[in-house]
Amino acid sequence: MGISLVNKLSDSDLKKIESHIFAHQGVPGALMPLLHAVQDDIGYVPEEIYPQISQALALSVAEVHGFVTFYHHFRTHPVGKHVLQVCRAESCQAMGSEKLESEIKAKLGIDYHQTTADGEVTLLPVYCLGNCACSPAVMMDDEVYGRVNAQAVADLVSEVSNG
Amino acid sequence: MAKVKVFVPRDSTALSLGANRTALAIQAEAEKRGIDIELIRNGSRGVFWLEPMVEVETDKGRIAYAPVKPNDVAGLFDADFLNGGEHALSLGLTEEIPYLKNQQRLTFARAGITDPVSLEDYLAHDGYKGLTNALAMTQEDIVKAVTDSGLRGRGGAAFPTGIKWNTVLGAKGEQKYIVCNADEGDSGTYSDRMVMEDDPFVLIEGMTIAGIAVGATQGYIYLRSEYPHALQILNEAIAKAVAANYLGDDVCGSGQAFHLEVRRAAGAYVCGEETSLLESLEGKRGLVRFKPPLPAIEGLFGKPTVVNNVISLATIPIILDKGAQYYADYGMGRSRGTLPIQLAGNIKQGGLVELAFGVTLRELLYDYGGGSASGRPIRAVQVGGPLGAYLPESQFDTPVDYESFAKLWAVLGHGGIVAFDDTVDMAKMARYAFEFCSIESCGKCTPCRIGATRGVEVMDKIKSGKDHAKNIQVLRDLSDTMLNGSLCALGGMTPYPVISALNHFGEDFGLNVSIDKKLNEKEGVA
């Protein structure tokens, strides 16, 4: 299941992006910090802005596309209001994360890289959150949660969905 | 009357167990009772199994209460914890907790003691003594001190730090760079994150010393995007260092410039490989470069560059403060100093254990770790991240030392130890190693790009029992190709977890492990 969120770049988003591009001109290795600024601000990196970025940074559109698709962190489509990342790495596996993953998917009714029907939560896999002394771990937006189980994650989801 | 100081950590792991809620509850309860306290959000001491650990400053020293949940708070006030009162959660003096008392904290001397973003706190706890000494030394003498300390790269490759610095010092170039590899992607590791969240000034100081030693005026910290708290804390600390003239055009009035900037990574594991990291910093796909040229000669933007791990750089200040010999006096063989070991996975008492090289895995797993979290026997440990070998119990008496591990065809890597109990399926872990490599391969070299995918397929065939003996041989051959033919450690070391799992836990791969081997293993344990 899950919904696909429509790509629609508003004028205000476009303005924000243009100001980020302007601010990053002349910065050494600008592409990475620029894309972070764009995604932090509007939630994703819209493909339709590749031409402007490539022009501003003297890169080809293919180079920008190649960069965005190389890095797991960047996405080219909008996501839900909240992003839930579930750690799949060894330390969490040693504490039963495989079972946790399937329980979370079942509870949310979505697979990885999908968004719940209400548009609240997008589920992503992650490989290590650096919380390995207290596995298994998940990250909701910018906060890590340790020693979690499926119920704790479900509570977390309702907390942010109602918040 | 002076306000009582109460400490509640702000480290990510402490937060992941509810430290913010505990801090809020303490603040609220104090207000309710009309008591004026000074709530300090310190770093974590890394005794993560006890987080959230609350400390109170008393005449006798700091007293710990742990783990403190919001609903414990009223009871703590009733027990007069602000004066060190007795309570079920009381652990006595923090410094006397055996887990901490028995450690040898050099790199992590301040972690959990200070407020990480307080420069005053840092200075009051020996901060910037190393830089002060370095500024009075010649560049050659600084590099010599680092070489003499015996410090080897703590990111995993264990290359002598001083030799790397010496190459950059000798390289010609108007612009040189110091790059800190903070792309800590290994599962089971968190010591870099702890430095950055719990004592960020020590990293800033270490990088500044590196810059002065080799003549670099610009530093970058390449920080993984999964660490948002580290980003915020580092930026706050850097701003304070700039304001106090510890960074900038004229570091401490020395006439030497050093500027520092944090750059966020974007979730590519391979960017922890130094040349891939440099490509990424330059704004490109993180494709691994051929070596030579070495980054020390042609690194970031083609200029001479020191690329060091967080722990290596964070260890520089104490070496320059106390002297090379002080550091070199710890350790064994060619592994000098201490290693911040990180206990992870299925372990009862997970946390940071900094000790001189030479401690055994068994001491770490049982004396510190307290055995498995599940209470079942520990069957295997993976040391050194996803590219590290799996070790069976018969090897638990191995000392933590680069050479001792190399003899077992294993690595220490970044010092992470992930424990697994006897419910683990080692064939599944071998398959996962290939899967991880296939997800994270940069794609530049064929053994890694194709080999990882073929590896997953071969593991599936072995599991299904199809042409079993033949596929076991294919697995060994494929691993041999990846090991010898890959451009970097990602493809080149993925065979470590795979082949070690096959050799030590053949029964999980459907092999008929002989009775002799089992007997030998039992004797090894005794």
Side-chain angles (χ1 to χ4, degrees), chain A residues 27-29 32 36 40 66-67 70-73 88 90-91 93-95 98 127-128 130-132 139 143-144 146, chain B residues 13 16 187-188 190 193 224 229 263-267 280 284-286 344-345 382 386 419 428-429 432 435 439-440:
Chain A
V27 172
M32 181 73 95
H36 271 300
D40 285 351
F67 187 93
F70 183 85
Y71 295 98
H72 303 303
H73 178 79
R88 293 198 64 214
E90 289 89 341
S91 177
Q93 288 183 44
M95 290 301 283
E98 214 181 5
Y127 296 88
C128 197
N131 202 41
C132 319
M139 193 172 198
E143 291 303 324
V144 180
Chain B
T13 294
S16 86
S187 176
Y190 44 80
R193 180 184 62 69
R224 68 196 302 252
H229 291 290
R263 285 288 176 93
R264 279 160 81 192
S280 183
K284 301 172 191 159
R285 291 162 71 91
Q382 186 178 31
K428 203 186 222 175
M429 299 318 296
Y432 173 81
E435 185 192 355
I439 295 168
E440 299 297 338

Side-chain angles (χ1 to χ4, degrees), chain B residues 90-400:
Chain B
S90 173
L91 297 169
L93 290 167
T94 314
E95 311 276 338
E96 296 296 320
I97 297 171
Y99 199 91
L100 281 169
K101 195 184 180 186
N102 298 331
Q103 293 194 33
Q104 292 156 308
R105 291 232 168 155
L106 303 183
T107 309
F108 282 86
R110 268 172 304 267
I113 294 172
T114 55
D115 171 352
V117 292
S118 164
L119 181 56
E120 297 70 36
D121 243 7
Y122 185 65
L123 293 170
H125 290 84
D126 295 338
Y128 278 118
K129 283 189 175 170
L131 178 67
T132 306
N133 289 345
L135 286 172
M137 294 161 72
T138 65
Q139 290 178 305
E140 287 75 11
D141 284 347
I142 302 172
V143 173
K144 188 174 181 301
V146 174
T147 307
D148 291 347
S149 75
L151 179 67
R152 292 163 71 178
R154 298 286 189 252
F159 187 81
T161 306
I163 293 179
K164 202 183 255 189
W165 286 23
N166 198 45
T167 309
V168 178
L169 174 62
K172 298 248 181 303
E174 279 174 24
Q175 178 69 58
K176 295 178 185 177
Y177 295 102
I178 307 297
V179 171
C180 170
N181 185 345
D183 197 30
E184 180 176 58
D186 286 356
S187 176
T189 67
Y190 44 80
S191 60
D192 291 353
R193 180 184 62 69
M194 280 188 68
V195 164
M196 296 184 284
E197 290 183 356
D198 303 335
D199 194 18
F201 287 110
V202 79
L203 175 60
I204 297 169
E205 182 182 353
M207 290 185 73
T208 309
I209 294 169
I212 284 161
V214 304
T217 54
Q218 176 68 49
Y220 290 102
I221 298 171
Y222 184 83
L223 173 69
R224 68 196 302 252
S225 55
E226 291 84 348
Y227 287 175
H229 291 290
L231 174 70
Q232 188 216 330
I233 291 173
L234 276 173
N235 279 332
E236 200 176 330
I238 288 171
K240 287 185 178 167
V242 169
N245 216 23
Y246 284 104
L247 286 172
D249 287 324
D250 182 16
V251 173
C252 300
S254 66
Q256 306 196 57
F258 191 70
H259 302 270
L260 188 52
E261 187 185 332
V262 184
R263 285 288 176 93
R264 279 160 81 192
Y269 177 77
V270 74
C271 289
E273 194 282 335
E274 62 175 3
T275 64
S276 164
L277 186 159
L278 294 173
E279 288 287 299
S280 183
L281 265 182
E282 291 181 8
K284 301 172 191 159
R285 291 162 71 91
L287 296 186
V288 174
R289 293 177 184 171
F290 287 102
K291 287 195 270 194
L294 292 171
I297 310 286
E298 281 181 44
L300 186 62
F301 302 113
K303 303 288 190 266
T305 303
V306 168
V307 186
N308 280 155
N309 167 257
V310 173
I311 300 297
S312 311
L313 288 163
T315 302
I316 298 298
I318 196 163
I319 292 170
L320 270 295
D321 174 12
K322 303 254 171 97
Q325 197 56 46
Y326 175 83
Y327 190 75
D329 281 344
Y330 291 86
M332 70 175 274
R334 288 175 50 221
S335 304
R336 308 314 312 172
T338 58
L339 184 68
I341 295 144
Q342 302 124 82
L343 298 180
N346 197 331
I347 194 89
K348 195 170 164 195
Q349 299 175 171
L352 183 95
V353 181
E354 182 177 353
L355 286 170
F357 286 93
V359 61
T360 68
L361 280 176
R362 192 177 300 281
E363 290 170 292
L364 289 164
L365 291 169
Y366 295 98
D367 297 352
Y368 285 90
S372 73
S374 61
R376 304 181 67 95
I378 297 178
R379 183 173 181 228
V381 295
Q382 186 178 31
V383 184
L387 307 175
Y390 285 100
L391 285 78
E393 193 179 0
S394 57
Q395 296 181 333
F396 285 0
D397 291 310
T398 309
V400 165

